[in-house]
Amino acid sequence: MTDLFSSNEIVNLPDAKTRPLADRLRPQSLGEVIGQEQVLGPESPLGVMLASGGLSSLVFWGPPGVGKTTIARLLAHETDLAFVQLSAIFSGVPELRKVFEAAKLRAANGQGTLLFVDEIHRFNKAQQDAFLPHMEDGTILLVGATTENPSFELNAALLSRAQVMVLTRLSVEDLARLGARAEREMGRELPLNDAAKTSLWEMADGDGRMLLNLIEQIMAWKLSAPLDPDQLAKRLMRRAAKYDKSGDEHYNLISALHKSVRGSDPDAALYWFARMLEGGEDPRYLARRLLRMSVEDIALADPQAQTVCQHAWETYERLGSPEGELALAQAVIYLALAPKSNAGYVAYKAAREAARKTGSEPPPKHILNAPTKLMAEQGYGEGYAYDHEAEDAFSGQDYFPETLQRTQFYKPVERGFERDLAKRVAYFEKLREKRGG
Protein backbone atom coordinates (compact mmCIF):
# COMPACT_ATOMS: atom_id res chain seq x y z
CA MET A 1 0.00 0.00 0.00
CA THR A 2 1.39 3.43 -0.91
CA ASP A 3 2.53 5.34 2.17
CA LEU A 4 1.65 9.04 2.46
CA PHE A 5 3.94 9.90 5.34
CA SER A 6 7.67 10.43 5.90
CA SER A 7 7.89 9.99 9.67
CA ASN A 8 7.46 7.24 12.21
CA GLU A 9 4.20 8.68 13.53
CA ILE A 10 0.95 6.77 13.01
CA VAL A 11 -1.21 9.68 11.93
CA ASN A 12 -4.98 9.93 12.47
CA LEU A 13 -6.34 12.85 10.51
CA PRO A 14 -9.51 14.55 11.84
CA ASP A 15 -11.30 14.27 8.49
CA ALA A 16 -10.76 10.50 8.36
CA LYS A 17 -13.99 9.82 6.49
CA THR A 18 -12.78 11.82 3.49
CA ARG A 19 -9.59 9.77 3.11
CA PRO A 20 -9.39 6.76 0.77
CA LEU A 21 -10.58 3.53 2.37
CA ALA A 22 -7.16 1.90 1.89
CA ASP A 23 -5.57 4.69 3.93
CA ARG A 24 -8.26 4.62 6.64
CA LEU A 25 -7.79 0.86 7.08
CA ARG A 26 -4.02 1.03 7.22
CA PRO A 27 -2.98 -1.18 10.15
CA GLN A 28 -1.92 0.68 13.29
CA SER A 29 0.22 -2.19 14.57
CA LEU A 30 1.95 -5.24 13.15
CA GLY A 31 -0.67 -7.42 14.82
CA GLU A 32 -3.35 -5.88 12.58
CA VAL A 33 -1.59 -6.84 9.34
CA ILE A 34 -3.59 -9.48 7.49
CA GLY A 35 -2.11 -12.45 5.70
CA GLN A 36 1.66 -12.35 6.31
CA GLU A 37 1.98 -14.65 9.33
CA GLN A 38 5.04 -16.34 7.78
CA VAL A 39 6.89 -13.02 8.08
CA LEU A 40 5.32 -11.49 11.19
CA GLY A 41 4.65 -14.55 13.34
CA PRO A 42 6.51 -14.91 16.66
CA GLU A 43 8.63 -17.78 15.31
CA SER A 44 9.48 -16.05 12.02
CA PRO A 45 12.94 -14.49 11.53
CA LEU A 46 11.42 -11.00 11.73
CA GLY A 47 9.42 -11.91 14.81
CA VAL A 48 12.56 -13.22 16.51
CA MET A 49 14.44 -10.01 15.59
CA LEU A 50 11.75 -7.82 17.13
CA ALA A 51 11.55 -9.94 20.26
CA SER A 52 15.31 -9.68 20.74
CA GLY A 53 15.28 -5.92 20.22
CA GLY A 54 17.44 -5.99 17.11
CA LEU A 55 16.50 -5.35 13.52
CA SER A 56 18.68 -5.84 10.45
CA SER A 57 18.26 -4.44 6.96
CA LEU A 58 15.51 -6.21 5.02
CA VAL A 59 14.21 -6.75 1.51
CA PHE A 60 10.48 -7.44 1.18
CA TRP A 61 9.78 -9.48 -1.94
CA GLY A 62 6.16 -9.94 -2.97
CA PRO A 63 3.34 -8.94 -5.33
CA PRO A 64 1.57 -5.57 -5.19
CA GLY A 65 -0.97 -4.80 -2.50
CA VAL A 66 0.19 -7.21 0.21
CA GLY A 67 1.46 -4.68 2.77
CA LYS A 68 5.17 -4.14 2.08
CA THR A 69 5.06 -0.37 2.70
CA THR A 70 2.76 -0.64 5.69
CA ILE A 71 4.93 -3.24 7.42
CA ALA A 72 8.04 -1.10 6.88
CA ARG A 73 6.33 1.96 8.40
CA LEU A 74 5.12 -0.07 11.39
CA LEU A 75 8.60 -1.47 11.94
CA ALA A 76 9.93 2.07 12.18
CA HIS A 77 7.19 2.92 14.67
CA GLU A 78 7.85 -0.10 16.88
CA THR A 79 11.62 0.46 16.92
CA ASP A 80 11.49 4.27 17.37
CA LEU A 81 13.29 4.89 14.10
CA ALA A 82 12.60 7.85 11.83
CA PHE A 83 10.73 6.61 8.78
CA VAL A 84 11.88 7.94 5.41
CA GLN A 85 10.40 6.71 2.15
CA LEU A 86 11.85 6.86 -1.35
CA SER A 87 10.68 5.45 -4.65
CA ALA A 88 13.40 4.16 -6.93
CA ILE A 89 11.25 5.25 -9.87
CA PHE A 90 11.47 8.94 -8.97
CA SER A 91 14.77 9.14 -7.08
CA GLY A 92 18.42 9.25 -8.08
CA VAL A 93 21.83 9.81 -6.52
CA PRO A 94 21.15 13.48 -5.52
CA GLU A 95 18.07 12.43 -3.54
CA LEU A 96 20.02 9.60 -1.91
CA ARG A 97 22.78 11.99 -0.81
CA LYS A 98 20.22 14.25 0.88
CA VAL A 99 18.67 11.27 2.66
CA PHE A 100 22.07 10.04 3.88
CA GLU A 101 23.07 13.49 5.13
CA ALA A 102 19.80 13.88 7.03
CA ALA A 103 20.23 10.39 8.50
CA LYS A 104 23.73 11.31 9.73
CA LEU A 105 22.32 14.36 11.51
CA ARG A 106 19.65 12.22 13.20
CA ALA A 107 22.31 9.69 14.20
CA ALA A 108 24.36 12.49 15.78
CA ASN A 109 21.26 13.37 17.84
CA GLY A 110 20.75 9.76 18.89
CA GLN A 111 17.99 8.68 16.49
CA GLY A 112 18.28 6.04 13.83
CA THR A 113 16.66 6.07 10.39
CA LEU A 114 14.67 3.37 8.66
CA LEU A 115 14.95 4.12 4.96
CA PHE A 116 12.21 2.43 2.97
CA VAL A 117 12.93 2.17 -0.76
CA ASP A 118 10.00 1.08 -2.92
CA GLU A 119 10.77 -0.69 -6.21
CA ILE A 120 14.40 -0.96 -5.11
CA HIS A 121 15.19 -3.26 -8.04
CA ARG A 122 14.84 -0.22 -10.34
CA PHE A 123 18.04 1.30 -8.93
CA ASN A 124 21.09 0.44 -11.05
CA LYS A 125 24.24 -1.19 -9.67
CA ALA A 126 25.97 2.10 -8.81
CA GLN A 127 22.89 3.41 -7.02
CA GLN A 128 22.54 0.16 -5.06
CA ASP A 129 26.22 0.31 -4.11
CA ALA A 130 25.63 3.77 -2.66
CA PHE A 131 23.66 2.23 0.21
CA LEU A 132 26.45 -0.10 1.35
CA PRO A 133 28.69 2.20 3.46
CA HIS A 134 25.68 3.76 5.20
CA MET A 135 24.25 0.32 6.00
CA GLU A 136 27.59 -0.84 7.36
CA ASP A 137 28.19 2.16 9.64
CA GLY A 138 24.63 2.11 10.94
CA THR A 139 23.57 5.45 9.45
CA ILE A 140 20.50 3.78 7.94
CA LEU A 141 18.54 0.59 8.37
CA LEU A 142 17.47 -0.23 4.82
CA VAL A 143 14.13 -1.84 4.03
CA GLY A 144 13.68 -2.40 0.32
CA ALA A 145 10.52 -3.55 -1.45
CA THR A 146 10.46 -5.34 -4.77
CA THR A 147 8.05 -7.31 -6.91
CA GLU A 148 10.98 -8.92 -8.77
CA ASN A 149 13.22 -11.78 -7.67
CA PRO A 150 16.00 -10.17 -5.57
CA SER A 151 18.45 -12.88 -6.62
CA PHE A 152 18.34 -11.55 -10.17
CA GLU A 153 17.69 -7.85 -9.62
CA LEU A 154 19.77 -6.84 -6.58
CA ASN A 155 23.53 -6.73 -6.14
CA ALA A 156 25.09 -9.61 -4.24
CA ALA A 157 26.83 -7.10 -1.94
CA LEU A 158 23.52 -5.51 -0.96
CA LEU A 159 21.80 -8.88 -0.53
CA SER A 160 24.61 -10.10 1.74
CA ARG A 161 23.80 -7.22 4.13
CA ALA A 162 20.02 -7.71 4.16
CA GLN A 163 17.59 -10.53 4.88
CA VAL A 164 15.01 -11.29 2.23
CA MET A 165 11.45 -11.67 3.53
CA VAL A 166 8.93 -13.20 1.13
CA LEU A 167 5.44 -11.71 1.30
CA THR A 168 2.70 -13.72 -0.40
CA ARG A 169 -0.46 -12.74 -2.25
CA LEU A 170 -3.47 -12.63 0.08
CA SER A 171 -5.67 -15.71 0.15
CA VAL A 172 -9.43 -15.56 -0.43
CA GLU A 173 -9.85 -16.00 3.34
CA ASP A 174 -7.47 -13.07 4.01
CA LEU A 175 -9.40 -10.89 1.57
CA ALA A 176 -12.70 -11.87 3.21
CA ARG A 177 -11.29 -10.69 6.58
CA LEU A 178 -10.18 -7.44 4.97
CA GLY A 179 -13.62 -7.04 3.40
CA ALA A 180 -15.29 -7.50 6.79
CA ARG A 181 -12.96 -4.89 8.26
CA ALA A 182 -13.96 -2.49 5.46
CA GLU A 183 -17.67 -3.08 6.17
CA ARG A 184 -17.14 -2.22 9.84
CA GLU A 185 -15.23 0.94 8.92
CA MET A 186 -17.98 2.06 6.52
CA GLY A 187 -20.78 1.15 8.92
CA ARG A 188 -22.72 -1.09 6.54
CA GLU A 189 -22.49 -4.34 4.62
CA LEU A 190 -21.54 -4.62 1.00
CA PRO A 191 -24.66 -4.74 -1.22
CA LEU A 192 -23.73 -8.21 -2.45
CA ASN A 193 -25.03 -11.69 -1.73
CA ASP A 194 -22.60 -14.27 -0.36
CA ALA A 195 -21.70 -15.68 -3.79
CA ALA A 196 -21.03 -12.19 -5.14
CA LYS A 197 -18.78 -11.43 -2.17
CA THR A 198 -16.75 -14.53 -2.92
CA SER A 199 -16.55 -13.42 -6.54
CA LEU A 200 -15.31 -10.02 -5.38
CA TRP A 201 -12.54 -11.59 -3.28
CA GLU A 202 -11.45 -13.55 -6.35
CA MET A 203 -11.54 -10.44 -8.57
CA ALA A 204 -8.98 -8.78 -6.30
CA ASP A 205 -6.51 -11.56 -7.21
CA GLY A 206 -4.62 -11.49 -3.92
CA ASP A 207 -4.19 -7.69 -3.84
CA GLY A 208 -5.57 -6.04 -0.69
CA ARG A 209 -5.30 -2.52 -2.05
CA MET A 210 -7.22 -3.53 -5.17
CA LEU A 211 -9.96 -5.07 -3.02
CA LEU A 212 -10.41 -1.90 -0.96
CA ASN A 213 -10.57 0.22 -4.12
CA LEU A 214 -13.27 -2.10 -5.52
CA ILE A 215 -15.21 -1.94 -2.24
CA GLU A 216 -15.18 1.86 -2.37
CA GLN A 217 -16.64 1.73 -5.86
CA ILE A 218 -19.34 -0.72 -4.87
CA MET A 219 -20.33 1.21 -1.73
CA ALA A 220 -20.96 4.30 -3.89
CA TRP A 221 -23.56 2.50 -6.01
CA LYS A 222 -27.24 3.18 -5.34
CA LEU A 223 -28.86 -0.26 -5.31
CA SER A 224 -32.31 -1.48 -4.38
CA ALA A 225 -31.19 -5.07 -3.70
CA PRO A 226 -27.93 -7.03 -3.23
CA LEU A 227 -26.17 -8.05 -6.44
CA ASP A 228 -25.41 -11.61 -7.49
CA PRO A 229 -22.11 -12.62 -9.18
CA ASP A 230 -23.38 -12.06 -12.73
CA GLN A 231 -24.70 -8.62 -11.91
CA LEU A 232 -21.43 -7.75 -10.18
CA ALA A 233 -19.39 -8.95 -13.16
CA LYS A 234 -21.36 -6.66 -15.48
CA ARG A 235 -20.59 -3.64 -13.33
CA LEU A 236 -16.94 -4.42 -12.52
CA MET A 237 -14.16 -5.40 -14.87
CA ARG A 238 -12.24 -8.39 -13.56
CA ARG A 239 -8.69 -7.44 -12.75
CA ALA A 240 -6.16 -8.52 -15.37
CA ALA A 241 -3.98 -11.32 -14.07
CA LYS A 242 -0.52 -10.21 -12.96
CA TYR A 243 1.80 -11.07 -15.80
CA ASP A 244 5.00 -9.44 -16.97
CA LYS A 245 6.25 -10.92 -20.21
CA SER A 246 9.83 -10.08 -19.31
CA GLY A 247 9.73 -10.58 -15.54
CA ASP A 248 9.45 -13.25 -12.87
CA GLU A 249 5.86 -14.17 -13.68
CA HIS A 250 6.80 -15.01 -17.26
CA TYR A 251 9.49 -17.45 -16.14
CA ASN A 252 7.39 -18.84 -13.28
CA LEU A 253 4.50 -19.68 -15.59
CA ILE A 254 6.55 -21.20 -18.40
CA SER A 255 8.30 -23.31 -15.75
CA ALA A 256 4.89 -24.42 -14.45
CA LEU A 257 3.77 -25.32 -17.98
CA HIS A 258 6.97 -27.23 -18.75
CA LYS A 259 6.91 -29.19 -15.49
CA SER A 260 3.20 -30.00 -15.88
CA VAL A 261 3.91 -31.45 -19.33
CA ARG A 262 6.92 -33.37 -17.97
CA GLY A 263 4.72 -34.62 -15.13
CA SER A 264 2.12 -35.97 -17.61
CA ASP A 265 -0.70 -33.76 -16.32
CA PRO A 266 -2.63 -32.44 -19.35
CA ASP A 267 -5.12 -30.47 -17.23
CA ALA A 268 -2.50 -28.54 -15.27
CA ALA A 269 -0.51 -28.02 -18.48
CA LEU A 270 -3.57 -26.57 -20.23
CA TYR A 271 -4.24 -24.30 -17.26
CA TRP A 272 -0.75 -22.76 -17.31
CA PHE A 273 -0.85 -22.53 -21.10
CA ALA A 274 -4.15 -20.62 -20.83
CA ARG A 275 -2.79 -18.40 -18.04
CA MET A 276 0.07 -17.29 -20.28
CA LEU A 277 -2.25 -16.59 -23.20
CA GLU A 278 -4.61 -14.62 -20.95
CA GLY A 279 -1.63 -12.61 -19.75
CA GLY A 280 -0.83 -11.59 -23.33
CA GLU A 281 2.02 -14.00 -24.07
CA ASP A 282 3.02 -14.34 -27.73
CA PRO A 283 1.67 -17.72 -28.95
CA ARG A 284 4.82 -18.10 -31.09
CA TYR A 285 6.92 -18.11 -27.93
CA LEU A 286 4.71 -20.88 -26.55
CA ALA A 287 4.96 -22.81 -29.84
CA ARG A 288 8.75 -22.66 -29.66
CA ARG A 289 8.78 -23.82 -26.05
CA LEU A 290 6.42 -26.72 -26.84
CA LEU A 291 8.76 -27.84 -29.61
CA ARG A 292 11.63 -27.70 -27.14
CA MET A 293 9.65 -29.86 -24.68
CA SER A 294 9.05 -32.45 -27.38
CA VAL A 295 12.79 -32.74 -27.97
CA GLU A 296 13.93 -32.51 -24.36
CA ASP A 297 11.31 -34.48 -22.41
CA ILE A 298 9.59 -36.83 -24.89
CA ALA A 299 12.28 -37.25 -27.52
CA LEU A 300 12.60 -40.74 -29.00
CA ALA A 301 10.04 -42.22 -26.60
CA ASP A 302 7.56 -40.73 -29.10
CA PRO A 303 9.27 -39.30 -32.21
CA GLN A 304 5.84 -38.18 -33.45
CA ALA A 305 5.66 -35.57 -30.66
CA GLN A 306 8.12 -33.31 -32.44
CA THR A 307 6.08 -33.53 -35.64
CA VAL A 308 2.86 -32.72 -33.76
CA CYS A 309 4.47 -29.56 -32.33
CA GLN A 310 5.84 -28.47 -35.70
CA HIS A 311 2.45 -28.94 -37.35
CA ALA A 312 0.70 -27.08 -34.50
CA TRP A 313 3.11 -24.16 -34.95
CA GLU A 314 2.52 -24.15 -38.73
CA THR A 315 -1.24 -24.27 -38.15
CA TYR A 316 -1.04 -21.26 -35.84
CA GLU A 317 0.97 -19.34 -38.45
CA ARG A 318 -1.72 -20.05 -41.06
CA LEU A 319 -4.79 -19.38 -38.88
CA GLY A 320 -3.48 -16.77 -36.44
CA SER A 321 -5.26 -15.94 -33.18
CA PRO A 322 -7.52 -17.05 -31.69
CA GLU A 323 -8.25 -20.12 -33.85
CA GLY A 324 -4.62 -21.17 -34.22
CA GLU A 325 -4.16 -21.31 -30.46
CA LEU A 326 -6.37 -24.40 -30.38
CA ALA A 327 -3.73 -26.29 -32.38
CA LEU A 328 -1.12 -25.31 -29.78
CA ALA A 329 -3.48 -26.42 -26.99
CA GLN A 330 -3.83 -29.81 -28.67
CA ALA A 331 -0.03 -30.06 -28.81
CA VAL A 332 0.07 -29.35 -25.07
CA ILE A 333 -2.31 -32.26 -24.45
CA TYR A 334 -0.35 -34.57 -26.74
CA LEU A 335 2.96 -33.78 -25.05
CA ALA A 336 1.53 -34.23 -21.57
CA LEU A 337 0.15 -37.67 -22.43
CA ALA A 338 3.15 -38.85 -24.47
CA PRO A 339 5.67 -41.31 -22.96
CA LYS A 340 8.60 -39.41 -21.47
CA SER A 341 12.33 -39.88 -21.89
CA ASN A 342 15.32 -37.63 -21.45
CA ALA A 343 17.76 -40.39 -22.41
CA GLY A 344 18.73 -38.56 -25.60
CA TYR A 345 19.24 -35.32 -23.67
CA VAL A 346 21.40 -37.05 -21.06
CA ALA A 347 23.40 -38.82 -23.78
CA TYR A 348 23.97 -35.57 -25.63
CA LYS A 349 25.24 -33.77 -22.51
CA ALA A 350 27.53 -36.69 -21.63
CA ALA A 351 28.95 -36.80 -25.16
CA ARG A 352 29.59 -33.03 -25.09
CA GLU A 353 31.38 -33.37 -21.77
CA ALA A 354 33.54 -36.21 -23.13
CA ALA A 355 34.30 -34.14 -26.22
CA ARG A 356 35.45 -31.23 -24.05
CA LYS A 357 37.72 -33.47 -21.99
CA THR A 358 39.37 -35.30 -24.89
CA GLY A 359 40.33 -32.17 -26.77
CA SER A 360 41.70 -32.91 -30.24
CA GLU A 361 41.87 -36.70 -30.23
CA PRO A 362 41.72 -37.87 -33.88
CA PRO A 363 39.43 -40.63 -35.16
CA PRO A 364 41.01 -44.09 -35.40
CA LYS A 365 42.93 -44.44 -38.67
CA HIS A 366 40.87 -47.36 -39.94
CA ILE A 367 37.80 -45.11 -40.42
CA LEU A 368 39.70 -42.28 -42.13
CA ASN A 369 39.66 -41.95 -45.90
CA ALA A 370 42.98 -42.17 -47.78
CA PRO A 371 42.61 -40.06 -50.94
CA THR A 372 46.40 -39.67 -51.30
CA LYS A 373 49.31 -42.13 -51.41
CA LEU A 374 50.92 -40.48 -48.38
CA MET A 375 47.76 -40.95 -46.30
CA ALA A 376 47.55 -44.58 -47.36
CA GLU A 377 51.17 -45.07 -46.33
CA GLN A 378 50.28 -43.59 -42.95
CA GLY A 379 47.68 -46.34 -42.48
CA TYR A 380 44.56 -44.31 -43.20
CA GLY A 381 41.65 -46.64 -44.00
CA GLU A 382 43.70 -49.75 -43.28
CA GLY A 383 41.56 -52.52 -41.80
CA TYR A 384 38.24 -50.76 -42.28
CA ALA A 385 35.34 -53.22 -42.44
CA TYR A 386 32.51 -52.18 -44.77
CA ASP A 387 29.43 -52.89 -42.67
CA HIS A 388 27.16 -53.69 -45.60
CA GLU A 389 29.42 -56.60 -46.46
CA ALA A 390 29.43 -57.94 -42.90
CA GLU A 391 26.98 -60.46 -41.50
CA ASP A 392 23.82 -58.66 -40.30
CA ALA A 393 25.36 -55.51 -41.89
CA PHE A 394 27.26 -54.98 -38.67
CA SER A 395 31.05 -55.25 -38.35
CA GLY A 396 31.32 -54.39 -34.65
CA GLN A 397 34.37 -52.18 -35.17
CA ASP A 398 35.33 -49.51 -32.64
CA TYR A 399 34.75 -45.99 -33.91
CA PHE A 400 35.99 -44.08 -30.83
CA PRO A 401 39.43 -42.45 -30.70
CA GLU A 402 42.14 -45.00 -29.99
CA THR A 403 42.92 -43.36 -26.64
CA LEU A 404 39.29 -43.26 -25.51
CA GLN A 405 37.56 -46.32 -24.10
CA ARG A 406 34.23 -47.14 -25.68
CA THR A 407 31.45 -45.45 -23.66
CA GLN A 408 27.70 -45.94 -23.71
CA PHE A 409 26.15 -42.46 -23.66
CA TYR A 410 22.67 -43.37 -24.87
CA LYS A 411 20.67 -45.56 -22.50
CA PRO A 412 17.08 -45.75 -23.76
CA VAL A 413 14.26 -46.16 -21.27
CA GLU A 414 11.59 -48.86 -21.22
CA ARG A 415 8.85 -46.46 -22.35
CA GLY A 416 7.18 -45.79 -25.67
CA PHE A 417 9.20 -46.17 -28.83
CA GLU A 418 12.44 -46.18 -26.84
CA ARG A 419 11.49 -49.65 -25.63
CA ASP A 420 12.13 -50.80 -29.20
CA LEU A 421 15.32 -48.76 -29.40
CA ALA A 422 16.55 -50.40 -26.18
CA LYS A 423 16.13 -53.79 -27.86
CA ARG A 424 18.19 -52.57 -30.82
CA VAL A 425 20.95 -51.26 -28.54
CA ALA A 426 21.06 -54.62 -26.73
CA TYR A 427 21.06 -56.50 -30.06
CA PHE A 428 24.05 -54.60 -31.43
CA GLU A 429 25.91 -54.86 -28.13
CA LYS A 430 25.46 -58.62 -28.20
CA LEU A 431 26.82 -58.77 -31.75
CA ARG A 432 29.71 -56.52 -30.77
CA GLU A 433 30.67 -58.83 -27.92
CA LYS A 434 30.35 -61.84 -30.20
CA ARG A 435 32.71 -60.27 -32.74
CA GLY A 436 35.12 -58.91 -30.16
CA GLY A 437 34.38 -55.24 -31.04
Side-chain angles (χ1 to χ4, degrees), residues 211-430:
L211 175 64
L212 295 178
N213 290 339
L214 292 175
I215 288 175
E216 272 196 302
Q217 290 182 49
I218 294 168
M219 288 295 202
W221 296 341
K222 299 186 184 303
L223 302 170
S224 58
L227 302 179
D228 62 26
D230 290 338
Q231 292 168 324
L232 178 65
K234 290 177 181 178
R235 286 172 169 260
L236 281 181
M237 291 293 291
R238 179 175 292 271
R239 182 188 184 190
K242 181 170 74 75
Y243 188 76
D244 179 355
K245 288 191 283 184
S246 62
D248 279 355
E249 204 67 15
H250 166 82
Y251 296 106
N252 289 342
L253 266 59
I254 193 60
S255 176
L257 171 58
H258 197 147
K259 289 180 174 63
S260 298
V261 166
R262 184 182 293 155
S264 301
D265 189 333
D267 301 303
L270 276 174
Y271 171 78
W272 295 116
F273 174 76
R275 275 280 299 274
M276 295 188 79
L277 288 177
E278 288 295 320
E281 185 58 75
D282 183 354
R284 292 177 180 84
Y285 168 79
L286 291 167
R288 184 174 67 81
R289 289 299 297 244
L290 291 174
L291 185 58
R292 172 188 165 181
M293 294 174 206
S294 73
V295 174
E296 182 177 327
D297 289 292
I298 289 89
L300 294 175
D302 184 354
Q304 184 68 16
Q306 185 174 339
T307 303
V308 168
C309 289
Q310 288 174 321
H311 285 172
W313 194 344
E314 291 171 4
T315 300
Y316 174 79
E317 294 294 353
R318 289 179 178 236
L319 291 180
S321 295
E323 294 87 350
E325 289 158 5
L326 177 58
L328 298 178
Q330 290 172 350
V332 169
I333 296 169
Y334 189 96
L335 294 183
L337 295 176
K340 307 298 189 297
S341 172
N342 72 339
Y345 183 59
V346 171
Y348 166 72
K349 290 198 298 182
R352 287 293 298 266
E353 180 63 22
R356 278 191 289 268
K357 288 181 178 179
T358 53
S360 303
E361 291 291 339
K365 288 184 178 179
H366 67 269
I367 63 171
L368 297 178
N369 292 329
T372 69
K373 180 179 179 181
L374 176 61
M375 295 170 75
E377 290 173 351
Q378 293 295 317
Y380 284 33
E382 184 176 340
Y384 172 65
Y386 187 54
D387 287 84
H388 289 292
E389 294 177 349
E391 184 180 358
D392 300 312
F394 181 76
S395 66
Q397 283 193 315
D398 188 1
Y399 301 103
F400 278 88
E402 294 174 359
T403 58
L404 181 63
Q405 185 177 359
R406 177 177 171 74
T407 305
Q408 183 181 2
F409 296 122
Y410 179 53
K411 300 175 183 178
V413 300
E414 287 294 323
R415 289 188 294 278
F417 182 65
E418 277 202 330
R419 186 181 292 113
D420 293 330
L421 296 181
K423 293 176 183 176
R424 299 182 195 182
V425 169
Y427 168 74
F428 287 121
E429 188 59 34
K430 186 176 180 180

Side-chain angles (χ1 to χ4, degrees), residues 81 87 97 122 124 150 170-171 193 271 300 364 403 411 430:
L81 297 173
S87 170
R97 288 200 190 101
R122 294 182 181 270
N124 61 35
L170 301 183
S171 67
N193 65 24
Y271 171 78
L300 294 175
T403 58
K411 300 175 183 178
K430 186 176 180 180

